Amino acid sequence: MISSVRFPILIVLSVMLLACSYEQQYIRHDQIQARARYVAVLPMVNLSSYPHAGRIVGDILTTELYAQSGFHLMEQSLVISRLRQNALEIDDALDKTEVLDAARELGVDTVIYGSVSEYRYKRGLNEDPVVGVNLRMIDAKSKKVLWAGSKSKTGGCFWFCEDSLNRLAQEVCNDLVAEMVAQ
């Protein structure tokens, strides 16, 4: 009797966990060739109401790229200083022309840019973290988008545990980078 009750409960819990995430991607794996790319990660545009969410997620994304990809990454502080030095306002860069201008100024052949659409705690019984990230990888020479991905995820735990925005952002960035560099 107890096992017949557990099975429906496990199915309901599984469906609830799977319903807390959404992901969409566009990939040109044959053109990415990780080891040959010199990549700049531009500052992420913060579309959320959380202060500095773009900077937080951008730093996490860069760490995940170092850990998982074979890309030769331009150091983030160098990216920011060169953009400021050349008077490029790239803080809100979602326009392809601005991104290509930044790539030319930085001397890289690939740029990763995007936005943070959600970075907050969702109100309810528990305050579960919610993170949404949108990324694009563009080749500066061909001006083609090589990869694009979006992922939105709700964290949360049952009963005696806590979940944080930072941990969830790490998970979202980890998943996006894993898909970006998968062969």
Side-chain angles (χ1 to χ4, degrees), residues 67-100:
Q68 293 186 51
S69 76
F71 299 147
H72 176 69
L73 295 172
M74 178 179 270
E75 173 55 41
Q76 198 66 17
S77 59
L78 186 58
V79 170
I80 292 168
S81 73
R82 282 198 184 163
L83 291 174
R84 285 183 183 155
Q85 185 179 35
N86 294 322
L88 283 176
E89 281 299 321
I90 207 77
D91 288 337
D92 294 323
L94 286 177
D95 182 71
K96 188 175 177 181
T97 305
E98 291 173 2
V99 171
L100 290 170

PDB file of all heavy atoms in Angstrom, residues 67-100:
ATOM      1  N   ALA A  67      36.711  27.289 -17.131  1.00  0.00           N
ATOM      2  CA  ALA A  67      36.690  25.915 -16.635  1.00  0.00           C
ATOM      3  C   ALA A  67      36.339  24.892 -17.713  1.00  0.00           C
ATOM      4  O   ALA A  67      36.878  23.781 -17.707  1.00  0.00           O
ATOM      5  CB  ALA A  67      35.696  25.796 -15.477  1.00  0.00           C
ATOM      6  N   GLN A  68      35.460  25.245 -18.640  1.00  0.00           N
ATOM      7  CA  GLN A  68      34.924  24.236 -19.554  1.00  0.00           C
ATOM      8  C   GLN A  68      35.381  24.343 -21.002  1.00  0.00           C
ATOM      9  O   GLN A  68      35.278  23.372 -21.740  1.00  0.00           O
ATOM     10  CB  GLN A  68      33.388  24.308 -19.562  1.00  0.00           C
ATOM     11  CG  GLN A  68      32.737  23.904 -18.282  1.00  0.00           C
ATOM     12  CD  GLN A  68      31.232  23.862 -18.458  1.00  0.00           C
ATOM     13  OE1 GLN A  68      30.723  23.239 -19.382  1.00  0.00           O
ATOM     14  NE2 GLN A  68      30.522  24.528 -17.558  1.00  0.00           N
ATOM     15  N   SER A  69      35.816  25.520 -21.419  1.00  0.00           N
ATOM     16  CA  SER A  69      36.112  25.684 -22.846  1.00  0.00           C
ATOM     17  C   SER A  69      37.619  25.721 -23.092  1.00  0.00           C
ATOM     18  O   SER A  69      38.396  25.926 -22.180  1.00  0.00           O
ATOM     19  CB  SER A  69      35.487  26.978 -23.367  1.00  0.00           C
ATOM     20  OG  SER A  69      36.233  28.104 -22.956  1.00  0.00           O
ATOM     21  N   GLY A  70      37.960  25.564 -24.327  1.00  0.00           N
ATOM     22  CA  GLY A  70      39.347  25.712 -24.734  1.00  0.00           C
ATOM     23  C   GLY A  70      39.600  27.091 -25.313  1.00  0.00           C
ATOM     24  O   GLY A  70      40.642  27.333 -25.933  1.00  0.00           O
ATOM     25  N   PHE A  71      38.666  28.010 -25.145  1.00  0.00           N
ATOM     26  CA  PHE A  71      38.813  29.355 -25.691  1.00  0.00           C
ATOM     27  C   PHE A  71      39.969  30.080 -25.010  1.00  0.00           C
ATOM     28  O   PHE A  71      40.217  29.912 -23.825  1.00  0.00           O
ATOM     29  CB  PHE A  71      37.556  30.194 -25.463  1.00  0.00           C
ATOM     30  CG  PHE A  71      36.307  29.669 -26.109  1.00  0.00           C
ATOM     31  CD1 PHE A  71      35.087  29.852 -25.498  1.00  0.00           C
ATOM     32  CD2 PHE A  71      36.337  29.005 -27.319  1.00  0.00           C
ATOM     33  CE1 PHE A  71      33.919  29.383 -26.072  1.00  0.00           C
ATOM     34  CE2 PHE A  71      35.181  28.523 -27.897  1.00  0.00           C
ATOM     35  CZ  PHE A  71      33.973  28.718 -27.280  1.00  0.00           C
ATOM     36  N   HIS A  72      40.640  30.910 -25.786  1.00  0.00           N
ATOM     37  CA  HIS A  72      41.629  31.834 -25.233  1.00  0.00           C
ATOM     38  C   HIS A  72      40.847  33.100 -24.899  1.00  0.00           C
ATOM     39  O   HIS A  72      40.421  33.830 -25.798  1.00  0.00           O
ATOM     40  CB  HIS A  72      42.729  32.097 -26.261  1.00  0.00           C
ATOM     41  CG  HIS A  72      43.726  33.100 -25.808  1.00  0.00           C
ATOM     42  ND1 HIS A  72      44.617  32.863 -24.787  1.00  0.00           N
ATOM     43  CD2 HIS A  72      43.969  34.357 -26.232  1.00  0.00           C
ATOM     44  CE1 HIS A  72      45.353  33.938 -24.601  1.00  0.00           C
ATOM     45  NE2 HIS A  72      44.982  34.860 -25.471  1.00  0.00           N
ATOM     46  N   LEU A  73      40.605  33.332 -23.604  1.00  0.00           N
ATOM     47  CA  LEU A  73      39.759  34.447 -23.170  1.00  0.00           C
ATOM     48  C   LEU A  73      40.575  35.693 -22.865  1.00  0.00           C
ATOM     49  O   LEU A  73      41.602  35.616 -22.199  1.00  0.00           O
ATOM     50  CB  LEU A  73      38.977  34.063 -21.910  1.00  0.00           C
ATOM     51  CG  LEU A  73      37.948  32.952 -22.064  1.00  0.00           C
ATOM     52  CD1 LEU A  73      37.408  32.549 -20.698  1.00  0.00           C
ATOM     53  CD2 LEU A  73      36.824  33.387 -22.968  1.00  0.00           C
ATOM     54  N   MET A  74      40.084  36.839 -23.340  1.00  0.00           N
ATOM     55  CA  MET A  74      40.671  38.112 -22.956  1.00  0.00           C
ATOM     56  C   MET A  74      40.242  38.388 -21.520  1.00  0.00           C
ATOM     57  O   MET A  74      39.067  38.241 -21.188  1.00  0.00           O
ATOM     58  CB  MET A  74      40.185  39.233 -23.883  1.00  0.00           C
ATOM     59  CG  MET A  74      40.724  40.603 -23.516  1.00  0.00           C
ATOM     60  SD  MET A  74      40.153  41.905 -24.629  1.00  0.00           S
ATOM     61  CE  MET A  74      41.454  41.838 -25.848  1.00  0.00           C
ATOM     62  N   GLU A  75      41.182  38.755 -20.687  1.00  0.00           N
ATOM     63  CA  GLU A  75      40.890  39.030 -19.279  1.00  0.00           C
ATOM     64  C   GLU A  75      39.827  40.126 -19.176  1.00  0.00           C
ATOM     65  O   GLU A  75      39.891  41.141 -19.873  1.00  0.00           O
ATOM     66  CB  GLU A  75      42.165  39.444 -18.553  1.00  0.00           C
ATOM     67  CG  GLU A  75      41.984  39.904 -17.138  1.00  0.00           C
ATOM     68  CD  GLU A  75      41.269  38.893 -16.251  1.00  0.00           C
ATOM     69  OE1 GLU A  75      41.560  37.684 -16.357  1.00  0.00           O
ATOM     70  OE2 GLU A  75      40.412  39.321 -15.469  1.00  0.00           O
ATOM     71  N   GLN A  76      38.846  39.910 -18.294  1.00  0.00           N
ATOM     72  CA  GLN A  76      37.700  40.802 -18.161  1.00  0.00           C
ATOM     73  C   GLN A  76      38.100  42.241 -17.838  1.00  0.00           C
ATOM     74  O   GLN A  76      37.532  43.186 -18.385  1.00  0.00           O
ATOM     75  CB  GLN A  76      36.748  40.257 -17.088  1.00  0.00           C
ATOM     76  CG  GLN A  76      35.371  40.830 -17.139  1.00  0.00           C
ATOM     77  CD  GLN A  76      34.605  40.440 -18.393  1.00  0.00           C
ATOM     78  OE1 GLN A  76      34.945  39.504 -19.101  1.00  0.00           O
ATOM     79  NE2 GLN A  76      33.573  41.183 -18.702  1.00  0.00           N
ATOM     80  N   SER A  77      39.078  42.436 -16.974  1.00  0.00           N
ATOM     81  CA  SER A  77      39.509  43.797 -16.636  1.00  0.00           C
ATOM     82  C   SER A  77      40.126  44.491 -17.857  1.00  0.00           C
ATOM     83  O   SER A  77      39.964  45.700 -18.043  1.00  0.00           O
ATOM     84  CB  SER A  77      40.502  43.774 -15.473  1.00  0.00           C
ATOM     85  OG  SER A  77      41.629  42.999 -15.799  1.00  0.00           O
ATOM     86  N   LEU A  78      40.801  43.732 -18.714  1.00  0.00           N
ATOM     87  CA  LEU A  78      41.366  44.283 -19.945  1.00  0.00           C
ATOM     88  C   LEU A  78      40.256  44.670 -20.930  1.00  0.00           C
ATOM     89  O   LEU A  78      40.340  45.718 -21.582  1.00  0.00           O
ATOM     90  CB  LEU A  78      42.326  43.278 -20.575  1.00  0.00           C
ATOM     91  CG  LEU A  78      43.112  43.721 -21.791  1.00  0.00           C
ATOM     92  CD1 LEU A  78      43.950  44.953 -21.484  1.00  0.00           C
ATOM     93  CD2 LEU A  78      44.003  42.579 -22.275  1.00  0.00           C
ATOM     94  N   VAL A  79      39.229  43.846 -21.019  1.00  0.00           N
ATOM     95  CA  VAL A  79      38.082  44.161 -21.879  1.00  0.00           C
ATOM     96  C   VAL A  79      37.480  45.496 -21.456  1.00  0.00           C
ATOM     97  O   VAL A  79      37.290  46.395 -22.283  1.00  0.00           O
ATOM     98  CB  VAL A  79      37.005  43.044 -21.806  1.00  0.00           C
ATOM     99  CG1 VAL A  79      35.717  43.486 -22.501  1.00  0.00           C
ATOM    100  CG2 VAL A  79      37.516  41.746 -22.399  1.00  0.00           C
ATOM    101  N   ILE A  80      37.208  45.644 -20.179  1.00  0.00           N
ATOM    102  CA  ILE A  80      36.558  46.862 -19.679  1.00  0.00           C
ATOM    103  C   ILE A  80      37.457  48.089 -19.863  1.00  0.00           C
ATOM    104  O   ILE A  80      37.006  49.131 -20.317  1.00  0.00           O
ATOM    105  CB  ILE A  80      36.134  46.677 -18.211  1.00  0.00           C
ATOM    106  CG1 ILE A  80      35.002  45.646 -18.138  1.00  0.00           C
ATOM    107  CG2 ILE A  80      35.698  47.995 -17.592  1.00  0.00           C
ATOM    108  CD1 ILE A  80      34.666  45.160 -16.760  1.00  0.00           C
ATOM    109  N   SER A  81      38.739  47.952 -19.545  1.00  0.00           N
ATOM    110  CA  SER A  81      39.631  49.115 -19.674  1.00  0.00           C
ATOM    111  C   SER A  81      39.795  49.536 -21.132  1.00  0.00           C
ATOM    112  O   SER A  81      39.824  50.732 -21.432  1.00  0.00           O
ATOM    113  CB  SER A  81      40.987  48.844 -19.027  1.00  0.00           C
ATOM    114  OG  SER A  81      41.752  47.952 -19.789  1.00  0.00           O
ATOM    115  N   ARG A  82      39.890  48.575 -22.052  1.00  0.00           N
ATOM    116  CA  ARG A  82      40.024  48.935 -23.475  1.00  0.00           C
ATOM    117  C   ARG A  82      38.753  49.572 -24.017  1.00  0.00           C
ATOM    118  O   ARG A  82      38.815  50.483 -24.835  1.00  0.00           O
ATOM    119  CB  ARG A  82      40.389  47.714 -24.308  1.00  0.00           C
ATOM    120  CG  ARG A  82      41.831  47.341 -24.191  1.00  0.00           C
ATOM    121  CD  ARG A  82      42.254  46.453 -25.320  1.00  0.00           C
ATOM    122  NE  ARG A  82      43.621  46.022 -25.153  1.00  0.00           N
ATOM    123  CZ  ARG A  82      44.146  45.004 -25.804  1.00  0.00           C
ATOM    124  NH1 ARG A  82      43.420  44.306 -26.647  1.00  0.00           N
ATOM    125  NH2 ARG A  82      45.398  44.681 -25.612  1.00  0.00           N
ATOM    126  N   LEU A  83      37.608  49.078 -23.571  1.00  0.00           N
ATOM    127  CA  LEU A  83      36.353  49.674 -24.028  1.00  0.00           C
ATOM    128  C   LEU A  83      36.224  51.111 -23.523  1.00  0.00           C
ATOM    129  O   LEU A  83      35.806  52.003 -24.258  1.00  0.00           O
ATOM    130  CB  LEU A  83      35.157  48.830 -23.568  1.00  0.00           C
ATOM    131  CG  LEU A  83      35.013  47.467 -24.230  1.00  0.00           C
ATOM    132  CD1 LEU A  83      33.881  46.673 -23.593  1.00  0.00           C
ATOM    133  CD2 LEU A  83      34.800  47.598 -25.728  1.00  0.00           C
ATOM    134  N   ARG A  84      36.597  51.342 -22.279  1.00  0.00           N
ATOM    135  CA  ARG A  84      36.556  52.696 -21.719  1.00  0.00           C
ATOM    136  C   ARG A  84      37.580  53.595 -22.403  1.00  0.00           C
ATOM    137  O   ARG A  84      37.317  54.760 -22.678  1.00  0.00           O
ATOM    138  CB  ARG A  84      36.816  52.659 -20.222  1.00  0.00           C
ATOM    139  CG  ARG A  84      35.629  52.159 -19.443  1.00  0.00           C
ATOM    140  CD  ARG A  84      35.881  52.194 -17.959  1.00  0.00           C
ATOM    141  NE  ARG A  84      34.742  51.651 -17.249  1.00  0.00           N
ATOM    142  CZ  ARG A  84      34.805  51.116 -16.053  1.00  0.00           C
ATOM    143  NH1 ARG A  84      35.961  51.061 -15.406  1.00  0.00           N
ATOM    144  NH2 ARG A  84      33.733  50.637 -15.478  1.00  0.00           N
ATOM    145  N   GLN A  85      38.772  53.044 -22.657  1.00  0.00           N
ATOM    146  CA  GLN A  85      39.851  53.805 -23.280  1.00  0.00           C
ATOM    147  C   GLN A  85      39.431  54.291 -24.675  1.00  0.00           C
ATOM    148  O   GLN A  85      39.775  55.391 -25.082  1.00  0.00           O
ATOM    149  CB  GLN A  85      41.088  52.912 -23.382  1.00  0.00           C
ATOM    150  CG  GLN A  85      42.320  53.573 -23.904  1.00  0.00           C
ATOM    151  CD  GLN A  85      43.478  52.582 -23.926  1.00  0.00           C
ATOM    152  OE1 GLN A  85      43.294  51.386 -24.186  1.00  0.00           O
ATOM    153  NE2 GLN A  85      44.673  53.059 -23.636  1.00  0.00           N
ATOM    154  N   ASN A  86      38.677  53.460 -25.388  1.00  0.00           N
ATOM    155  CA  ASN A  86      38.234  53.814 -26.739  1.00  0.00           C
ATOM    156  C   ASN A  86      36.860  54.472 -26.747  1.00  0.00           C
ATOM    157  O   ASN A  86      36.252  54.612 -27.807  1.00  0.00           O
ATOM    158  CB  ASN A  86      38.227  52.570 -27.628  1.00  0.00           C
ATOM    159  CG  ASN A  86      39.629  52.044 -27.843  1.00  0.00           C
ATOM    160  OD1 ASN A  86      40.571  52.814 -27.979  1.00  0.00           O
ATOM    161  ND2 ASN A  86      39.772  50.736 -27.844  1.00  0.00           N
ATOM    162  N   ALA A  87      36.372  54.847 -25.564  1.00  0.00           N
ATOM    163  CA  ALA A  87      35.101  55.563 -25.400  1.00  0.00           C
ATOM    164  C   ALA A  87      33.911  54.812 -25.985  1.00  0.00           C
ATOM    165  O   ALA A  87      32.988  55.418 -26.516  1.00  0.00           O
ATOM    166  CB  ALA A  87      35.207  56.965 -25.987  1.00  0.00           C
ATOM    167  N   LEU A  88      33.946  53.495 -25.927  1.00  0.00           N
ATOM    168  CA  LEU A  88      32.807  52.706 -26.382  1.00  0.00           C
ATOM    169  C   LEU A  88      31.877  52.449 -25.206  1.00  0.00           C
ATOM    170  O   LEU A  88      32.282  51.892 -24.194  1.00  0.00           O
ATOM    171  CB  LEU A  88      33.267  51.361 -26.959  1.00  0.00           C
ATOM    172  CG  LEU A  88      33.859  51.370 -28.348  1.00  0.00           C
ATOM    173  CD1 LEU A  88      34.344  49.981 -28.732  1.00  0.00           C
ATOM    174  CD2 LEU A  88      32.853  51.857 -29.369  1.00  0.00           C
ATOM    175  N   GLU A  89      30.641  52.878 -25.344  1.00  0.00           N
ATOM    176  CA  GLU A  89      29.630  52.613 -24.317  1.00  0.00           C
ATOM    177  C   GLU A  89      29.005  51.261 -24.640  1.00  0.00           C
ATOM    178  O   GLU A  89      28.124  51.166 -25.472  1.00  0.00           O
ATOM    179  CB  GLU A  89      28.565  53.714 -24.316  1.00  0.00           C
ATOM    180  CG  GLU A  89      28.993  54.966 -23.615  1.00  0.00           C
ATOM    181  CD  GLU A  89      29.320  54.745 -22.146  1.00  0.00           C
ATOM    182  OE1 GLU A  89      28.625  53.967 -21.473  1.00  0.00           O
ATOM    183  OE2 GLU A  89      30.303  55.348 -21.673  1.00  0.00           O
ATOM    184  N   ILE A  90      29.481  50.258 -23.997  1.00  0.00           N
ATOM    185  CA  ILE A  90      29.055  48.900 -24.310  1.00  0.00           C
ATOM    186  C   ILE A  90      28.234  48.288 -23.181  1.00  0.00           C
ATOM    187  O   ILE A  90      27.839  47.138 -23.245  1.00  0.00           O
ATOM    188  CB  ILE A  90      30.304  48.040 -24.665  1.00  0.00           C
ATOM    189  CG1 ILE A  90      29.936  46.902 -25.603  1.00  0.00           C
ATOM    190  CG2 ILE A  90      31.010  47.564 -23.456  1.00  0.00           C
ATOM    191  CD1 ILE A  90      29.748  47.302 -27.007  1.00  0.00           C
ATOM    192  N   ASP A  91      27.939  49.072 -22.152  1.00  0.00           N
ATOM    193  CA  ASP A  91      27.189  48.548 -21.008  1.00  0.00           C
ATOM    194  C   ASP A  91      25.816  48.025 -21.385  1.00  0.00           C
ATOM    195  O   ASP A  91      25.289  47.143 -20.724  1.00  0.00           O
ATOM    196  CB  ASP A  91      27.054  49.610 -19.918  1.00  0.00           C
ATOM    197  CG  ASP A  91      28.373  49.846 -19.207  1.00  0.00           C
ATOM    198  OD1 ASP A  91      29.227  48.942 -19.237  1.00  0.00           O
ATOM    199  OD2 ASP A  91      28.547  50.932 -18.637  1.00  0.00           O
ATOM    200  N   ASP A  92      25.227  48.578 -22.420  1.00  0.00           N
ATOM    201  CA  ASP A  92      23.909  48.127 -22.854  1.00  0.00           C
ATOM    202  C   ASP A  92      23.970  47.534 -24.261  1.00  0.00           C
ATOM    203  O   ASP A  92      23.074  47.737 -25.071  1.00  0.00           O
ATOM    204  CB  ASP A  92      22.907  49.283 -22.812  1.00  0.00           C
ATOM    205  CG  ASP A  92      22.649  49.748 -21.390  1.00  0.00           C
ATOM    206  OD1 ASP A  92      22.619  48.885 -20.496  1.00  0.00           O
ATOM    207  OD2 ASP A  92      22.475  50.958 -21.179  1.00  0.00           O
ATOM    208  N   ALA A  93      25.017  46.796 -24.559  1.00  0.00           N
ATOM    209  CA  ALA A  93      25.228  46.281 -25.912  1.00  0.00           C
ATOM    210  C   ALA A  93      24.385  45.050 -26.187  1.00  0.00           C
ATOM    211  O   ALA A  93      24.677  43.969 -25.711  1.00  0.00           O
ATOM    212  CB  ALA A  93      26.699  45.963 -26.135  1.00  0.00           C
ATOM    213  N   LEU A  94      23.349  45.239 -26.954  1.00  0.00           N
ATOM    214  CA  LEU A  94      22.589  44.119 -27.481  1.00  0.00           C
ATOM    215  C   LEU A  94      22.464  44.261 -28.990  1.00  0.00           C
ATOM    216  O   LEU A  94      21.902  43.418 -29.643  1.00  0.00           O
ATOM    217  CB  LEU A  94      21.194  44.053 -26.835  1.00  0.00           C
ATOM    218  CG  LEU A  94      21.174  43.549 -25.402  1.00  0.00           C
ATOM    219  CD1 LEU A  94      19.765  43.603 -24.831  1.00  0.00           C
ATOM    220  CD2 LEU A  94      21.707  42.132 -25.304  1.00  0.00           C
ATOM    221  N   ASP A  95      23.011  45.337 -29.528  1.00  0.00           N
ATOM    222  CA  ASP A  95      22.970  45.597 -30.955  1.00  0.00           C
ATOM    223  C   ASP A  95      24.199  44.968 -31.614  1.00  0.00           C
ATOM    224  O   ASP A  95      25.330  45.170 -31.167  1.00  0.00           O
ATOM    225  CB  ASP A  95      22.938  47.112 -31.191  1.00  0.00           C
ATOM    226  CG  ASP A  95      22.848  47.438 -32.653  1.00  0.00           C
ATOM    227  OD1 ASP A  95      21.783  47.199 -33.246  1.00  0.00           O
ATOM    228  OD2 ASP A  95      23.857  47.918 -33.214  1.00  0.00           O
ATOM    229  N   LYS A  96      23.976  44.227 -32.688  1.00  0.00           N
ATOM    230  CA  LYS A  96      25.053  43.503 -33.366  1.00  0.00           C
ATOM    231  C   LYS A  96      26.145  44.455 -33.864  1.00  0.00           C
ATOM    232  O   LYS A  96      27.331  44.137 -33.794  1.00  0.00           O
ATOM    233  CB  LYS A  96      24.459  42.702 -34.529  1.00  0.00           C
ATOM    234  CG  LYS A  96      25.415  41.768 -35.197  1.00  0.00           C
ATOM    235  CD  LYS A  96      24.676  40.947 -36.248  1.00  0.00           C
ATOM    236  CE  LYS A  96      25.603  40.049 -37.009  1.00  0.00           C
ATOM    237  NZ  LYS A  96      24.900  39.271 -38.044  1.00  0.00           N
ATOM    238  N   THR A  97      25.777  45.631 -34.339  1.00  0.00           N
ATOM    239  CA  THR A  97      26.758  46.603 -34.837  1.00  0.00           C
ATOM    240  C   THR A  97      27.692  47.053 -33.719  1.00  0.00           C
ATOM    241  O   THR A  97      28.911  47.131 -33.914  1.00  0.00           O
ATOM    242  CB  THR A  97      26.040  47.822 -35.448  1.00  0.00           C
ATOM    243  OG1 THR A  97      25.128  47.359 -36.443  1.00  0.00           O
ATOM    244  CG2 THR A  97      27.026  48.775 -36.076  1.00  0.00           C
ATOM    245  N   GLU A  98      27.137  47.355 -32.548  1.00  0.00           N
ATOM    246  CA  GLU A  98      27.961  47.760 -31.409  1.00  0.00           C
ATOM    247  C   GLU A  98      28.895  46.640 -30.975  1.00  0.00           C
ATOM    248  O   GLU A  98      30.053  46.877 -30.633  1.00  0.00           O
ATOM    249  CB  GLU A  98      27.069  48.156 -30.224  1.00  0.00           C
ATOM    250  CG  GLU A  98      26.282  49.415 -30.426  1.00  0.00           C
ATOM    251  CD  GLU A  98      25.303  49.671 -29.297  1.00  0.00           C
ATOM    252  OE1 GLU A  98      25.271  48.881 -28.330  1.00  0.00           O
ATOM    253  OE2 GLU A  98      24.575  50.668 -29.384  1.00  0.00           O
ATOM    254  N   VAL A  99      28.405  45.431 -30.997  1.00  0.00           N
ATOM    255  CA  VAL A  99      29.214  44.273 -30.602  1.00  0.00           C
ATOM    256  C   VAL A  99      30.359  44.064 -31.591  1.00  0.00           C
ATOM    257  O   VAL A  99      31.494  43.812 -31.191  1.00  0.00           O
ATOM    258  CB  VAL A  99      28.328  43.007 -30.481  1.00  0.00           C
ATOM    259  CG1 VAL A  99      29.164  41.769 -30.292  1.00  0.00           C
ATOM    260  CG2 VAL A  99      27.325  43.166 -29.341  1.00  0.00           C
ATOM    261  N   LEU A 100      30.079  44.200 -32.878  1.00  0.00           N
ATOM    262  CA  LEU A 100      31.135  44.045 -33.889  1.00  0.00           C
ATOM    263  C   LEU A 100      32.167  45.171 -33.787  1.00  0.00           C
ATOM    264  O   LEU A 100      33.362  44.939 -33.979  1.00  0.00           O
ATOM    265  CB  LEU A 100      30.529  43.975 -35.290  1.00  0.00           C
ATOM    266  CG  LEU A 100      29.740  42.692 -35.579  1.00  0.00           C
ATOM    267  CD1 LEU A 100      28.983  42.815 -36.895  1.00  0.00           C
ATOM    268  CD2 LEU A 100      30.655  41.485 -35.597  1.00  0.00           C
TER     269      LEU A 100
END
